[in-house]
Amino acid sequence: MLKSLRLQLAAWYLAFFSVLFLAFCLVLYGGLSRALERRLDEGLAMTVNISAKLMQEELDEMDGDAPQAAEEVISKMGPSSGEIAILEGTRLVAATDPGDKADLESAAAEVVGGSSERAAWILPHWGKSGARAGTKHLSFRGRTFVVLAVEPLDSIVRGLQVLRQTFLLAMPLLLAIAGIGGYLLTRRGLAPLGSMVEQTRTITGQNLETRLEIGKAAEELTTLAASFNELLSRLDQSFASMRRFVQDASHELRTPLAVIRGEADVALSHERSTAEYKESLAVIQEESRRLSRLVDDLLNLARADAGHVQLHVEQLYVNDLLSDCCRSVQPLASARNIELECRPGEDVAVRGDEELLRRMVMNLLDNAIRYTPPGGRVSAMIEAHGSDVRIRVADTGVGIAPDATGRIFERFYRADKARNRQQGGFGLGLAIVKWIAESHHGAVDLTSQPGQGSTFTVRLPAIN
Ligand SMILES: Nc1ncnc2c1ncn2[C@@H]1O[C@H](COP(=O)(O)OP(=O)(O)O)[C@@H](O)[C@H]1O
Ligand SMILES: [Mg+2]
């Protein structure tokens, strides 16, 4: 098998061309040989017609002297009219070549009997390749005459032979030209493919921003290059976001680790009182909790990216879920002097993973409480909207600036870095909310007025 596409295409082209050329030769050859034979037959018909007419006139003139009339006809027709024989009944009267008397008589009998092929065979020396014959009857005063004309096929056969030889000679030459031409054409047509291969070889994780250039090429190849370039930009984007993720994650891990190490170093630097040790351990404990939370969140997001999170989907009532979550965050709200209003409403069922949905609502409530100053209000409610269930968490907090709303769901994004770190966030909460909503075929929206408050709404498909 040919491995190269170029050679394969050229071979197909050559095979197709050979069949076409062969068919062309056969049609031409057949058509030409038929046309030549037809012309010969027409010539023979004309010769016998003229000869018969002449014979009639000569017989009239010579008062029925058949031999003389026949001789006269033959000499008038001349040698260019091929072989002519005139018979009376089955007896030869005169012929261009009367030496073949017996042959001519039986040939005439065959032709009259309807077989010009056999007549030609009887007269072999009149043409090596056979001959064709024509006859015409005429009557004169009760006597019957037959005019026989025979034309050898030699010239036709020779002509066709020359044609055959020409075909045989031309065939290899033409096929060679077609083969080379086909190869050069496919090579030219596929050249951009080679250049694409060369260019893709140089692309690695380090230069994913490279794009293939193929300039002017066939539509199929430019489409291929374009879709390859699209693939590259998607890869480039995910590589960039992966790199950013790793950078941000390491950055976030550094702070709690530094605090833990610092605290331990200080505590161990010299003897301390039990109270001091306890204080240091409490700081270490708090930072370790933060670290665990961060690592959990990171792990969740990484699993979600890899598509490895198996949702434990079951039917559940979101209003129950909301009540539970409100109960859990109530102490935090009270501690921050925030009024928490929970309006779970009637039973509304959805299908989903209870643990994940709980985490989603907790993240929203946690944010609402954290980013609302003391004295503010946080309200959570459920609304059933036809095929949708909406979980709404609204607060009267600091709000989010319009330029930040677009980025709020990005990983590690925090609207106010310094303050938010102190408040304990890593900027992963909303990214997780978004992922959980989407993995339940839902979505999360945000409306916010800086200084006045924010409202987060999660839409989930309801069970009808
Ligand atoms: N209810 C809210 N009110 C004001 N800002 C908010 C609210 N929820 C989230 N934000 C802003 O969005 C950022 C991202 O939130 P999140 O992903 O939960 O991260 P984190 O809470 O860990 O900082 C927060 O840092 C905060 O600036
Ligand atoms: Mg948060």
Side-chain angles (χ1 to χ4, degrees):
M1 267 313 291
L2 292 175
K3 280 204 177 139
S4 146
L5 178 62
R6 242 177 264 161
L7 286 177
Q8 278 178 21
L9 284 176
W12 275 110
Y13 170 72
L14 188 62
F16 178 71
F17 184 83
S18 313
V19 171
L20 205 70
F21 182 68
L22 211 68
F24 168 76
C25 292
L26 289 176
V27 169
L28 188 70
Y29 187 83
L32 195 71
S33 68
R34 264 197 307 281
L36 288 173
E37 280 178 24
R38 203 176 317 121
R39 221 183 60 189
L40 194 76
D41 285 345
E42 281 164 11
L44 280 171
M46 216 158 79
T47 307
V48 289
N49 278 340
I50 296 171
S51 307
K53 211 163 154 237
L54 274 177
M55 182 67 183
Q56 193 89 48
E57 286 166 12
E58 293 297 336
L59 281 171
D60 270 342
E61 221 168 89
M62 299 188 183
D63 201 20
D65 183 352
Q68 228 181 338
E71 287 297 344
E72 194 60 30
V73 169
I74 285 162
S75 77
K76 273 188 180 161
M77 290 303 287
S80 62
S81 308
E83 306 292 337
I84 301 173
I86 296 170
L87 300 95
E88 184 172 357
T90 55
R91 193 176 51 80
L92 184 71
V93 181
T96 316
D97 187 355
D100 299 316
K101 188 171 180 284
D103 282 349
L104 281 171
E105 282 174 351
S106 42
E110 289 291 347
V111 178
V112 171
S115 168
S116 69
E117 282 80 15
R118 294 230 3 230
W121 182 69
I122 291 168
L123 303 164
H125 64 282
W126 278 15
K128 278 200 205 81
S129 320
R132 288 181 89 88
T135 52
K136 175 101 181 167
H137 289 72
L138 68 114
S139 332
F140 182 80
R141 293 179 194 161
R143 295 155 72 188
T144 308
F145 294 91
V146 179
V147 178
L148 171 72
V150 182
E151 189 80 64
L153 284 172
D154 279 1
S155 63
I156 295 182
V157 169
R158 249 198 320 279
L160 290 175
Q161 196 180 7
V162 171
L163 190 66
R164 269 202 309 274
Q165 279 166 353
T166 314
F167 283 160
L168 281 179
L169 274 179
M171 186 95 162
L173 200 72
L174 268 173
L175 292 190
I177 293 172
I180 294 170
Y183 178 77
L184 291 178
L185 275 179
T186 50
R187 200 171 77 160
R188 203 187 128 112
L190 293 178
L193 205 60
S195 119
M196 271 166 74
V197 171
E198 285 304 313
Q199 292 178 55
T200 43
R201 281 215 178 104
T202 62
I203 298 177
T204 64
Q206 266 64 50
N207 60 351
L208 275 177
E209 70 286 348
T210 315
R211 295 290 173 266
L212 297 188
E213 304 260 356
I214 60 167
K216 265 197 179 164
E219 194 187 337
E220 290 82 352
L221 296 180
T222 48
T223 315
L224 180 65
S227 44
F228 195 84
N229 282 340
E230 281 161 24
L231 171 72
L232 277 178
S233 39
R234 284 197 298 274
L235 279 178
D236 193 16
Q237 272 167 18
S238 35
F239 259 62
S241 77
M242 253 163 60
R243 267 198 294 266
R244 213 171 38 238
F245 188 63
V246 171
Q247 265 170 19
D248 291 344
S250 335
H251 185 73
E252 292 300 330
L253 285 167
R254 258 164 59 181
T255 319
L257 283 175
V259 173
I260 291 173
R261 256 186 64 187
E263 202 60 42
D265 286 349
V266 171
L268 292 174
S269 58
H270 54 84
E271 277 304 309
R272 293 181 184 273
S273 69
T274 316
E276 281 172 325
Y277 280 130
K278 269 191 175 166
E279 201 177 306
S280 291
L281 281 175
V283 172
I284 290 176
Q285 187 186 39
E286 172 57 24
E287 288 303 319
S288 311
R289 278 211 189 103
R290 277 169 53 79
L291 260 184
S292 300
R293 255 199 335 265
L294 172 59
V295 172
D296 278 352
D297 284 352
L298 284 177
L299 202 62
N300 269 314
L301 284 171
R303 281 203 188 123
D305 283 350
H308 284 167
V309 179
Q310 186 91 47
L311 298 190
H312 300 290
V313 178
E314 55 186 336
Q315 181 166 338
L316 54 98
Y317 292 102
V318 267
N319 37 323
D320 287 351
L321 190 119
L322 187 70
S323 305
D324 281 357
C325 293
C326 286
R327 217 169 295 134
S328 305
V329 294
Q330 183 61 60
L332 181 66
S334 305
R336 292 178 55 89
N337 191 21
I338 284 166
E339 184 193 336
L340 177 64
E341 182 195 5
C342 194
R343 283 188 277 147
E346 316 238 305
D347 276 359
V348 183
V350 297
R351 288 182 61 74
D353 185 313
E354 185 170 359
E355 201 190 315
L356 290 181
L357 290 178
R358 186 182 299 275
R359 185 178 310 162
M360 178 181 83
V361 174
M362 285 298 280
N363 277 349
L364 290 176
L365 285 172
D366 183 73
N367 280 350
I369 294 168
R370 277 182 205 283
Y371 302 116
T372 300
R377 202 159 63 101
V378 170
S379 56
M381 70 199 86
I382 307 276
E383 288 167 6
H385 258 273
S387 57
D388 274 357
V389 177
R390 298 190 183 169
I391 307 170
R392 185 162 300 190
V393 177
D395 62 56
T396 58
V398 295
I400 296 158
D403 60 327
T405 49
R407 307 194 51 201
I408 211 90
F409 295 100
E410 284 176 17
R411 292 166 189 191
F412 298 109
Y413 182 79
R414 283 180 296 223
D416 182 347
K417 296 235 163 184
R419 193 183 56 189
N420 293 354
R421 192 194 290 275
Q422 273 172 5
Q423 286 177 342
F426 295 106
L428 290 175
L430 288 179
I432 291 176
V433 167
K434 183 168 186 255
W435 161 64
I436 295 176
E438 283 170 359
S439 66
H440 282 78
H441 309 289
V444 53
D445 288 327
L446 157 69
T447 52
S448 182
Q449 285 276 323
Q452 308 220 340
S454 323
T455 304
F456 285 86
T457 310
V458 176
R459 273 182 290 118
L460 295 177
I463 304 180
N464 291 315

